[in-house]
Amino acid sequence: MKEVQDINERDIYTLINGNTADRELLSKISQGLDKAGIYYRIFARIKAAHSTAIKLIEKEDKYKGRKKGMQDIIGVRVALYYHDDILVCKKILSSMFQLIPEDSEEDVPKAENFSPIRRNFVFHLPDDIIELFPQYLWENYRIEKTFELQLRTIFSEGWYEVEHDVRYKHREEWKDKKYYEYHRGLNSINATLEVCDHEIVRCLEDLAYDCYKQGEIQRMLRYKLRIHFEKEDISNELISAMNSTDSFVKKIYQMDRGEILCCISHPEMTHLLKTMENIIFLCNELHIQNSSIRNLASPLLLNKLNKGIRAFKNIKEE
């Protein structure tokens, strides 16, 4: 393992330059989130050679002390449209990659202030991504076979981009008391954006409830689930069966959105088209178990749904 005096930026550059590991990892993550239909934007990068060398030098004592090295050779940020997708996204990614809880940071919001909330998670890199790097990198530098993933909302992503360059990069300077009111100013902007995050979801949840009360099933599902549907049409036969079955639509409306999305994204739920009809049949098999609705689904679809649901429920019980 190279010591501080032996760390060579040019050497690191040759080991990571032109590597496609960040794009490969981004593709894997995107596939999992796309399966759930979540709205998001994603960014990934391999840490630049200069930044890597500086970090290895500056944190040499820390890495020696805890016997762990730099954990973000690949960094990923996922910016979500809706704040309630943060937990859903974390669950989906934790089912895809091995989370390292002790190295992850997830702040608990405080009632008395609106400090920025960190949601930084460290995962083990998949073997096929590790193999894209030269073995020499892992053997000779204090770099872990891990990646760091940050979860944010679209609103907070914009704020963090500005805050990182303006305040974080110059944090020693900002410790001066004369910056106090500017600290408050930046944090108050963050507070406003957090309110916006919650208000958007509340507004769409209220709209979903209004659509439910008006018997507008398609619109209710669109605003309740807030995902990319591949097809929104629902057959008249299925709508008639739902309306004639006591409390069926109400039970669909009351189901947990996060559970539905996590179930859709499960690896065993293979090649399931995210149509409204398929989601209705999934909800029925997952909890409601109405035979009239089940009889309208094809045997092939039912087999696929129940195979995926069984696997999903086993994971939940572990």
Side-chain angles (χ1 to χ4, degrees):
M1 189 69 64
K2 289 184 180 291
E3 300 300 326
V4 169
Q5 64 270 21
D6 299 319
I7 291 177
N8 186 308
E9 182 180 328
R10 184 175 295 277
D11 183 30
I12 296 173
Y13 178 81
T14 61
L15 294 173
I16 65 176
N17 184 42
N19 199 300
T20 61
D22 55 338
R23 281 171 280 170
E24 296 294 329
L25 182 61
L26 183 149
S27 177
K28 285 179 180 287
I29 294 170
S30 296
Q31 287 173 21
L33 299 182
D34 288 345
K35 205 170 175 203
I38 290 173
Y39 285 91
Y40 68 95
R41 291 291 180 267
I42 189 168
F43 314 87
R45 62 97 185 105
I46 294 178
K47 203 170 192 69
H50 177 71
S51 299
T52 299
I54 292 296
K55 190 167 186 178
L56 290 173
I57 291 169
E58 289 183 345
K59 299 195 174 183
E60 175 71 6
D61 290 340
K62 176 183 177 181
Y63 293 152
K64 279 185 177 180
R66 69 174 189 171
K67 296 182 180 179
K68 284 189 178 182
M70 190 181 80
Q71 296 182 305
D72 62 340
I73 187 65
I74 300 180
V76 181
R77 291 199 317 277
V78 178
L80 299 155
Y81 282 29
Y82 305 114
H83 79 85
D84 55 346
D85 279 337
I86 289 174
L87 180 58
V88 173
C89 187
K90 179 186 174 184
K91 287 181 177 179
I92 291 173
L93 295 176
S94 295
S95 70
M96 296 174 61
F97 308 100
Q98 186 180 350
L99 178 68
I100 308 175
E102 63 270 20
D103 294 330
S104 301
E105 296 178 305
E106 187 170 16
D107 292 339
V108 177
K110 298 177 181 178
E112 65 273 13
N113 63 52
F114 278 90
S115 298
I117 299 172
R118 293 171 300 174
R119 297 183 180 93
N120 301 342
F121 304 99
V122 177
F123 294 90
H124 287 289
L125 282 168
D127 290 341
D128 59 335
I129 301 295
I130 292 172
E131 291 172 0
L132 294 175
F133 291 94
Q135 186 63 25
Y136 181 81
L137 181 72
W138 314 117
E139 292 175 348
N140 289 272
Y141 291 95
R142 294 186 183 277
I143 297 176
E144 298 295 311
K145 298 174 182 177
T146 57
F147 69 96
E148 182 182 83
L149 184 136
Q150 299 174 344
L151 288 181
R152 299 172 180 170
T153 62
I154 288 289
F155 281 131
S156 64
E157 168 65 14
W159 183 87
Y160 271 105
E161 285 291 296
V162 174
E163 192 273 344
H164 184 267
D165 282 343
V166 171
R167 183 164 62 178
Y168 180 78
K169 285 186 176 180
H170 310 284
R171 50 193 179 279
E172 290 302 317
E173 179 180 306
W174 278 70
K175 289 180 180 178
D176 193 307
K177 289 182 179 180
K178 69 181 180 182
Y179 284 85
Y180 175 78
E181 66 176 286
Y182 303 107
H183 270 299
R184 294 277 296 174
L186 280 177
N187 287 349
S188 69
I189 294 170
N190 180 61
T192 301
L193 295 175
E194 185 175 325
V195 171
C196 291
D197 275 328
H198 286 268
E199 282 301 301
I200 284 177
V201 171
R202 186 192 64 78
C203 178
L204 294 178
E205 285 179 341
D206 288 349
L207 179 54
Y209 179 74
D210 185 61
C211 292
Y212 156 67
K213 296 299 287 185
Q214 297 298 320
E216 298 172 344
I217 297 173
Q218 288 165 292
R219 293 180 183 178
M220 181 267 285
L221 284 171
R222 182 190 306 145
Y223 299 123
K224 173 184 172 60
L225 294 180
R226 306 189 302 278
I227 61 174
H228 288 282
F229 282 106
E230 294 169 86
K231 185 180 177 183
E232 292 193 0
D233 297 342
I234 305 175
S235 70
N236 291 332
E237 187 179 18
L238 180 54
I239 288 177
S240 177
M242 293 171 70
N243 286 328
S244 62
T245 304
D246 186 43
S247 300
F248 185 86
V249 177
K250 181 179 181 180
K251 289 175 182 177
I252 290 278
Y253 172 75
Q254 291 177 335
M255 284 187 67
D256 181 78
R257 173 181 178 271
E259 183 181 29
I260 295 171
L261 269 56
C262 287
C263 187
I264 295 170
S265 69
H266 192 275
E268 289 296 328
M269 199 67 73
T270 55
H271 308 298
L272 177 70
L273 291 177
K274 291 184 294 296
T275 67
M276 280 197 179
E277 287 198 352
N278 284 351
I279 301 302
I280 291 167
F281 290 130
L282 180 142
C283 290
N284 186 53
E285 296 303 307
L286 188 60
H287 283 305
I288 305 173
Q289 302 289 315
N290 182 277
S291 58
S292 298
I293 301 298
R294 180 181 291 125
N295 290 337
L296 296 177
S298 71
L300 181 63
L301 175 62
L302 290 174
N303 181 62
K304 181 185 297 184
L305 291 176
N306 285 297
K307 181 181 178 182
I309 288 170
R310 283 194 298 272
F312 171 69
K313 288 186 173 181
N314 284 338
I315 281 184
K316 284 184 61 183
E317 293 167 1
E318 288 179 353

